[in-house]
Amino acid sequence: MLLSCGDALIDFVPVKSADGRDAYVPAVGGSCLNIAVAMSRLGSPTGFVGGISTDMFGTMVADHLAASNVSLRHARHSDNETTLAFVRFVNGEPHYAFYDEVTAAQLWAYDPTLFSFDQIDALHVGSTTLINEPAATEYLTMFRDAKGRTTLSFDPNCRPSLVRNKTKYLARMAEFIAIADIVRMSDLDFDFLFGGTDFQNKANEALARGVALFVVTRGSEGVVAWHATAGQVEVPAPAVNVVDSIGAGDTFQGSLLVALREAGRIERSALEAISRDELAAVLAFGTRCAAITCSRAGANPPWKSEVSPSRDR
């Protein structure tokens, strides 16, 4: 199966009330939860790893995952509160205010006895749970433990407003990148971590240090990836009427892992042998799935039946 590990929360999404006032509607979210939902909806056996509260919002989270057939066998339930995030759009990009102190997500603890990594196709980590302690160290310990036993996927999904010590945060992100087999980030993440848009040099550095696949998504400008033997592969984004971009990157991440699994290229040695055409097909599938998410409100990844049968293979 595929596992997505990290944040599960409630997004409060801005809407207009009937009388024209600003209002917020609660919606289940969290980058790693969205990735789990995307993978499961696309037909891969999927589990979510992280802390889920037993409070009212936590019940919404658990029900949402169950509705998309995501296994909660590896999740930890507690009576700590659910993380809340309020969303505001600035120039089309979502900005967040988080309430994440002493929450179920932040207090999740790694239990090695719950994991048989050799029975997992890929393990993904990322997002807000990697910013603060104790969760950040717990996920890093799990990531190190799983190295060489399953394919490791990493997306920093940076939230600059939450980072209080950027030096420590950058060092921690570098540790995750050094361990990962697949690294995916947005161009905004890249700029926060490294400054600028010199994607190729950083990608080459990552490949030299052991990363098998380095991917940068650039919104409407499409995606570009680097691979040791397939080289640099660029795929345009499909034209789409964008309703909002919440969850688009998460959908891409989940569909990327699903497409690699279906192509028989998810295992590390198979990933190293992927051809240029195969990689282009995998990336194109990811952009199509992300485009569907952008075409509707909220983080609502597509089901397998909604995606074109052609996988561009």
Side-chain angles (χ1 to χ4, degrees):
M1 70 191 311
L2 301 172
L3 292 182
S4 183
C5 317
D7 52 338
L9 51 84
I10 299 294
D11 282 323
F12 283 83
V13 183
V15 297
K16 287 292 183 182
S17 65
D19 59 0
R21 292 184 298 168
D22 291 332
Y24 283 90
V25 172
V28 176
S31 174
C32 295
L33 176 145
N34 293 336
I35 290 167
V37 168
M39 294 190 298
S40 186
R41 288 185 178 184
L42 290 171
S44 286
T46 301
F48 174 76
V49 179
I52 298 177
S53 177
T54 56
D55 67 12
M56 175 182 70
F57 292 126
T59 300
M60 288 175 60
V61 168
D63 289 347
H64 180 78
L65 286 164
S68 291
N69 302 314
V70 176
S71 169
L72 296 180
R73 181 166 62 91
H74 298 90
R76 177 178 178 267
H77 298 268
S78 74
D79 58 4
N80 298 108
E81 296 176 349
T82 300
T83 302
L84 306 180
F86 287 79
V87 187
R88 179 171 177 261
F89 288 93
V90 179
N91 298 322
E93 290 289 338
H95 292 249
Y96 298 86
F98 285 88
Y99 295 83
D100 194 25
E101 296 289 336
V102 198
T103 61
Q106 281 298 330
L107 296 180
W108 174 83
Y110 170 52
D111 180 354
T113 64
L114 295 179
F115 298 88
S116 298
F117 292 117
D118 57 351
Q119 297 178 16
I120 296 167
D121 292 311
L123 182 147
H124 173 82
V125 301
S127 200
T128 58
T129 40
L130 306 185
I131 296 175
N132 296 316
E133 300 295 355
T137 293
E138 294 292 321
Y139 283 110
L140 185 57
T141 300
M142 179 181 66
F143 217 47
R144 287 174 176 151
D145 223 11
K147 180 66 175 176
R149 301 162 67 187
T150 186
T151 296
L152 299 178
S153 166
F154 172 63
D155 167 21
N157 193 29
C158 304
R159 294 289 180 256
S161 63
L162 295 182
V163 176
R164 297 165 185 165
N165 186 323
K166 188 172 181 179
T167 300
K168 282 187 176 180
Y169 177 75
L170 294 181
R172 185 179 297 129
M173 295 303 99
E175 286 188 83
F176 277 101
I177 291 172
I179 300 169
D181 299 297
I182 299 169
V183 175
R184 199 285 300 183
M185 65 183 69
S186 71
D187 49 358
L188 296 178
D189 294 333
F190 187 96
D191 185 47
F192 183 69
L193 294 178
F194 307 118
T197 57
D198 188 3
F199 304 139
Q200 184 165 340
N201 278 341
K202 285 298 178 183
N204 289 340
E205 286 179 16
L207 295 181
R209 293 174 182 170
V211 172
L213 179 62
F214 189 94
V215 183
V216 177
T217 50
R218 303 169 298 167
S220 61
E221 294 183 19
V223 57
V224 59
W226 290 263
H227 183 272
T229 56
Q232 180 176 329
V233 178
E234 191 166 351
V235 172
V240 63
N241 179 27
V242 177
V243 173
D244 75 47
S245 59
I246 294 176
D250 304 329
T251 297
F252 177 88
Q253 184 76 44
S255 56
L256 171 70
L257 296 177
V258 169
L260 286 171
R261 182 177 182 271
E262 290 191 0
R265 295 296 186 185
I266 193 71
E267 191 267 331
R268 172 70 195 221
S269 61
L271 179 59
E272 289 173 348
I274 196 169
S275 71
R276 184 179 181 84
D277 287 346
E278 287 176 313
L279 180 54
V282 164
L283 297 173
F285 179 67
T287 62
R288 288 207 308 277
C289 292
I292 293 173
T293 298
C294 287
S295 72
R296 51 206 193 189
N300 186 6
W303 294 82
K304 189 172 185 177
S305 60
E306 297 179 275
V307 186
S308 167
S310 170
R311 296 290 174 93
D312 297 326
R313 289 180 187 169

